[in-house]
Amino acid sequence: RLNGASAGFEAVVSTQSTGTRLKRIMKSLYAPLLNVTTDYRDVLVKQAKKLIASPWKTTLFATVSIEVSYIVNCTPSKDDYIDRLLYHHHRLAMVHKRIRNSTSQYYIDSVRRLEGLNRLGYQSFGLFSVVYESYADNECKEYGNVFLSPNLMDYAEKVIDVGFMGRWYSIEKAMVDYDVNETEWHHVK
């Protein structure tokens, strides 16, 4: 019974020492946190006075900030591109081979081939996104750079699509008139 009482006493002592330690830590953090909050409050008051002094500048700044944040929020992802690719692939599959547009068919087939080879790359630049043909799939990159000295034109040739504000432009352009075969109508011109 004595052992149980001493264990209880030690728990109370350790709790008290933890409580005082916590109070000391809170006291040491109180002054710096108070200084930081005071500094932020002063900056906000100063900025509010500037904003009130020039309402047109404030309106322009707010409008541009909201538009840029909206554009960044609507930047399409790689999953959006894959969804769009599959959607158009299924639309194209519903059309008979004799009627399909060869440009649409070539675009979808080539991108699906790259996707199957795991060579479809994606890069977001904040305001827009780019889907490109990567030089090697992700599993081979651990063995080193396959393409050692690319120049800017090599990168430009590898771009497959550009996405902006929730849309992918090249795939939409390739799928215009996907159900019209140009070779079928060449004699009409």
Side-chain angles (χ1 to χ4, degrees):
R1 181 172 178 131
L2 186 59
N3 289 339
S6 67
F9 177 73
E10 289 172 5
V12 169
V13 169
S14 69
T15 312
Q16 288 175 349
S17 64
T18 304
T20 51
R21 236 186 328 209
L22 186 61
K23 286 180 184 177
R24 274 189 306 209
I25 290 172
M26 293 303 287
K27 276 186 178 180
S28 68
L29 291 177
Y30 179 73
L33 287 175
L34 183 64
N35 289 340
V36 168
T37 55
T38 304
D39 289 343
Y40 275 110
R41 185 191 67 216
D42 292 344
V43 167
L44 287 174
V45 167
K46 189 177 179 181
Q47 287 294 44
K49 288 179 182 177
K50 281 183 181 179
L51 295 176
I52 291 170
S54 59
W56 290 108
K57 187 176 179 181
T58 303
T59 304
L60 179 67
F61 179 74
T63 303
V64 169
S65 298
I66 290 169
E67 287 175 358
V68 167
S69 62
Y70 177 76
I71 290 171
V72 168
N73 192 30
C74 290
T75 301
S77 66
K78 184 176 182 180
D79 290 336
D80 294 333
Y81 184 75
I82 299 298
D83 288 344
R84 216 56 205 151
L85 179 67
L86 291 175
Y87 171 76
H88 286 302
H89 177 75
H90 291 297
R91 280 180 58 195
L92 198 59
M94 299 298 269
V95 177
H96 194 276
K97 289 181 181 181
R98 287 187 298 169
I99 303 173
R100 289 182 196 161
N101 188 326
S102 60
T103 306
S104 301
Q105 185 70 47
Y106 177 77
Y107 183 87
I108 295 295
D109 289 345
S110 61
V111 175
R112 288 297 305 250
R113 182 183 57 79
L114 289 173
E115 180 192 13
L117 294 172
N118 199 18
R119 290 186 52 200
L120 204 59
Y122 168 81
Q123 182 64 48
S124 175
F125 293 99
L127 297 177
F128 65 96
S129 301
V130 175
V131 173
Y132 60 93
E133 178 184 351
S134 61
Y135 295 105
D137 67 352
N138 294 332
E139 296 169 0
C140 291
K141 286 185 180 178
E142 65 188 45
Y143 295 110
N145 238 346
V146 175
F147 198 69
L148 299 176
S149 59
N151 60 20
L152 190 59
M153 292 309 291
D154 291 333
Y155 284 122
E157 291 173 357
K158 298 293 183 180
V159 171
I160 297 172
D161 209 340
V162 177
F164 178 71
M165 290 192 62
R167 288 192 58 211
W168 293 99
Y169 289 91
S170 294
I171 196 168
E172 298 300 330
K173 182 179 176 187
M175 291 303 292
V176 171
D177 295 332
Y178 69 96
D179 56 350
V180 176
N181 188 349
E182 325 76 32
T183 58
E184 186 177 13
W185 298 99
H186 74 282
H187 67 280
V188 176
K189 294 180 184 179

